[in-house]
Amino acid sequence: MTTTTLPWRAPAAACTTVVLWASAFVSIRSAGGAYSPGALALGRLLAGTLVLGAILIIRREGPPGRGAWPGIITSGVLWFGLYMVALNWGEQEVDAGTAAMLVNIGPILIALLGARMLGEGLSRRLLLGMGVSFAGAVVVGLAMSGHGGSSVLGVALCLLAAVAYAAGVVSQKPALAHGSSLQINTFGCLIGAVACLPFTGVLVSEAADAPLSATLNMVYLGVFPTALAFTTWGYALARTTAGKMGATTYAVPALVVGMAWVLLDEVPTPLGIVGGVLCLAGVAVSRSRQRTGPTRGNPVRPVEGSRHAEERQAERT
């Protein structure tokens, strides 16, 4: 059965990614008390590489085509490696609200880079949806702020994470034309782990003293928000534009508010609920399709040749 007969697969993959990435914020908070940013990133990437590698062997998929490697290497270093370390570190320096607002610059950068480097169009619906969602992310950030101090270093790290995230997504898009999502993300995760190998000593020493719950959260980050979510992301990204996929991630702040309410007993403020609704509304607008039918007052006139062809067809029937 081809994917054309199952149009729900790509949206389902995108939704899976968004939900798992939202859950990562809860796990990072739990594991971050016992693991430093670099060690947490390395442990997460090692767990993800083991799971993805095992699936790759079971499915008997080898390395992707030669044309995929520039994108794999770039996304592996920037998105799997630099982004995770910078975000882990940044969230230790700034409050959650500030981090949410800064990292959510990423989807805007993805749309701009996608238009510049991939030739993707910037429709008015996409721009409008991104604007609404970004406003919602700012509102969520304001609602969540006030529980910690901010520093110039933390702001710089979150901005660095947003840039690395955007550059990684845009570089991964062309690679998906030369290999499956599983192949691209398996080797991207491996390259990210290699880039984080300098943190090996720190990971070993911290794992010896870390509580079991923190280690399990680190493993969860590797298996689900990394191995599974990055694969479903790649599947959906191969079937739509980078700009639309980036806009989809604006649903993450809304889901984080709900998950923090359920899992951490953090009751959202009315402002947080309003921001979450705006995030979801913006995603809905950006993912909606522009109607291609004739506009009022401007009916589409049939081409002369096609009109005669229709008349001849009507005579034959």
Side-chain angles (χ1 to χ4, degrees):
M1 183 177 295
T2 62
T3 55
T4 56
T5 61
L6 295 172
W8 54 268
R9 280 187 172 181
C15 290
T16 300
T17 298
V18 168
V19 171
L20 290 177
W21 281 356
S23 73
F25 283 86
V26 178
S27 291
I28 288 174
R29 177 180 297 182
S30 300
Y35 289 97
S36 58
L40 180 58
L42 176 58
R44 174 179 179 175
L45 289 168
L46 288 175
T49 300
L50 289 174
V51 173
L52 287 169
I55 297 174
L56 194 73
I57 293 173
I58 292 173
R59 291 178 59 87
R60 297 181 179 180
E61 293 189 33
R66 182 182 303 177
W69 284 100
I72 291 175
I73 294 172
T74 304
S75 63
V77 172
L78 294 180
W79 194 8
F80 286 89
L82 179 59
Y83 166 78
M84 292 188 183
V85 175
L87 181 60
N88 292 344
W89 191 359
E91 286 190 351
Q92 292 184 356
E93 298 290 331
V94 302
D95 58 73
T98 302
M101 286 186 286
L102 293 172
V103 173
N104 271 291
I105 296 174
I108 297 176
L109 297 177
I110 290 172
L112 296 177
L113 288 174
R116 176 72 175 176
M117 301 177 65
L118 304 178
E120 297 179 352
L122 291 174
S123 67
R124 282 185 292 181
R125 284 177 180 264
L126 176 59
L127 293 174
L128 175 61
M130 291 177 67
V132 173
S133 289
F134 184 73
V138 171
V139 172
V140 170
L142 292 174
M144 295 170 62
S145 63
H147 300 289
S150 298
S151 70
V152 175
L153 175 61
V155 171
L157 287 167
C158 289
L159 289 174
L160 177 61
V163 173
Y165 159 49
V169 170
V170 174
S171 62
Q172 189 189 68
K173 173 71 174 177
L176 290 165
H178 303 277
S180 68
S181 175
L182 177 61
Q183 291 173 316
I184 303 303
N185 284 288
T186 298
F187 289 98
C189 191
L190 175 61
I191 290 172
V194 171
C196 292
L197 282 179
F199 301 108
T200 301
V202 180
L203 174 61
V204 172
S205 62
E206 291 179 349
D209 300 326
L212 179 61
S213 59
T215 302
L216 290 176
N217 271 292
M218 182 174 64
V219 174
Y220 170 83
L221 286 168
V223 175
F224 292 97
T226 303
L228 178 57
F230 274 75
T231 302
T232 52
W233 165 275
Y235 179 89
L237 179 62
R239 290 157 177 81
T240 187
T241 65
K244 283 190 175 183
M245 279 302 295
T248 302
T249 62
Y250 272 122
V252 170
L255 294 175
V256 170
V257 170
M259 289 181 178
W261 188 0
V262 174
L263 299 176
L264 301 178
D265 199 26
E266 296 180 353
V267 180
T269 63
L271 190 62
I273 295 175
V274 171
V277 172
L278 283 174
C279 288
L280 296 176
V283 171
V285 172
S286 65
R287 299 290 298 188
S288 62
R289 294 183 178 181
Q290 184 77 35
R291 289 188 300 177
T292 58
T295 57
R296 185 181 302 177
N298 293 289
V300 176
R301 296 180 179 178
V303 179
E304 188 68 19
S306 62
R307 183 171 62 84
H308 290 319
E310 292 175 357
E311 291 175 354
R312 289 194 296 270
Q313 178 66 23
E315 291 174 357
R316 285 196 295 267
T317 57

